[in-house]
Amino acid sequence: MVQAINAALRRLPVPAVYLLAAVPGAWLVALAFTGGLGVDPVKRLERELGLLALQFLILGLAVTPLRRLAGISLLRFRRALGLSAFGYVLLHVAVWLALDMQFLWSQIATDLVRRPYITIGMAALALLVPLALTSTDRALRRMGAAAWARMHRLVYPATVTGGLHFVMVVKAWPLEPFLYLAAILALLALRLRRRPALARG
Ligand code: HEM
């Protein structure tokens, strides 16, 4: 079964993953233009894009545990998953700036300082920017594999911060954001548990 999955994955070209990742975004745009986003389309769009960003970040974190625990290798697609997450974060923020805040810069500056969930969201974005900028093969060669890998560990605090942002956004105490945060922390714990074993070689 695992072999069949890996064989199918090997046949899947990387660009197809970018295309597949864009499908939910394109679907949201189609819904936006056909009045399918309900009574508050801007909020709905903003939230769905944020959720997609977090889901792709989590998928990226799941690549290594999935290979170690289930033998399924998505390694070839990790960059596509990370960049798709980053693309959705940028769209999420663009909707906030352009449609929600309507480029009211003084209000935007106030929110950045006064609303902790916005400040935390920005911190997550700031952590992701260097990863996106160094996602090319050229950057990897220039930095050297070890330094590149060290820097790309920023994806862990970035995803935790994104998960915290989700918990802080919601006013009541629904289960969903906590499930996301728990999934992120569990994936992180799996990663940390491996470190001593790696160090032992
Ligand atoms: C890694 C970065 C980020 C991730 C993963 C993320 C994810 C999310 C998620 C999952 C939601 C809630 C969706 C829902 O309610 O179903 C959300 C809501 C929101 N996020 Fe983000 N976000 C990020 C960065 C940012 C940034 C940088 C800003 C703005 C500066 C921002 C502004 C908002 C706003 C305004 C909402 C909606 C709040 C409301 O419902 O009133 N986010 N985000």
Side-chain angles (χ1 to χ4, degrees):
M1 175 69 173
V2 170
Q3 273 157 355
I5 294 174
N6 280 333
L9 287 172
R10 268 195 300 276
R11 280 197 298 275
L12 188 68
V14 174
V17 174
Y18 283 103
L19 275 179
L20 284 173
V23 168
W27 177 243
L28 280 177
V29 173
L31 285 180
F33 280 104
T34 52
L37 288 182
V39 285
D40 192 346
V42 170
K43 260 290 159 243
R44 173 86 190 279
L45 188 62
E46 187 175 75
R47 287 182 179 159
E48 296 292 343
L49 289 168
L51 216 48
L52 280 167
L54 199 57
Q55 285 160 355
F56 276 99
L57 281 173
I58 292 173
L59 262 179
L61 282 198
V63 168
T64 302
L66 209 66
R67 186 168 55 94
R68 289 202 181 129
L69 301 177
I72 295 172
S73 181
L74 292 172
L75 267 180
R76 240 165 24 93
F77 308 120
R78 182 142 64 182
R79 175 166 26 188
L81 295 173
L83 285 176
S84 301
F86 188 66
Y88 280 119
V89 173
L90 289 184
L91 289 173
H92 175 61
V93 177
V95 168
W96 179 67
L97 286 174
L99 303 180
D100 196 352
M101 305 305 282
Q102 310 206 342
F103 296 121
L104 292 169
W105 295 108
S106 63
Q107 182 64 49
I108 288 168
T110 311
D111 271 15
L112 281 173
V113 180
R114 297 254 172 88
R115 293 192 179 210
Y117 76 85
I118 297 278
T119 318
I120 291 281
M122 266 301 173
L125 174 63
L127 288 167
L128 288 175
V129 168
L131 304 188
L133 291 178
T134 57
S135 63
T136 59
D137 290 338
R138 204 161 143 244
L140 172 65
R141 274 195 305 273
R142 253 209 328 255
M143 292 176 71
W148 189 92
R150 243 193 331 270
M151 181 178 167
H152 278 251
R153 279 186 213 140
L154 279 179
V155 74
Y156 299 108
T159 310
V160 173
T161 314
L164 272 179
H165 164 76
F166 187 9
V167 167
M168 292 164 82
V169 161
V170 285
K171 272 96 199 165
W173 297 95
L175 194 58
E176 194 188 6
F178 289 97
L179 289 179
Y180 275 82
L181 192 58
I184 294 165
L185 294 177
L187 289 169
L188 199 67
L190 279 175
R191 187 73 193 164
L192 292 179
R193 224 171 41 141
R194 277 300 290 193
R195 284 266 148 72
L198 279 178
R200 280 198 304 273

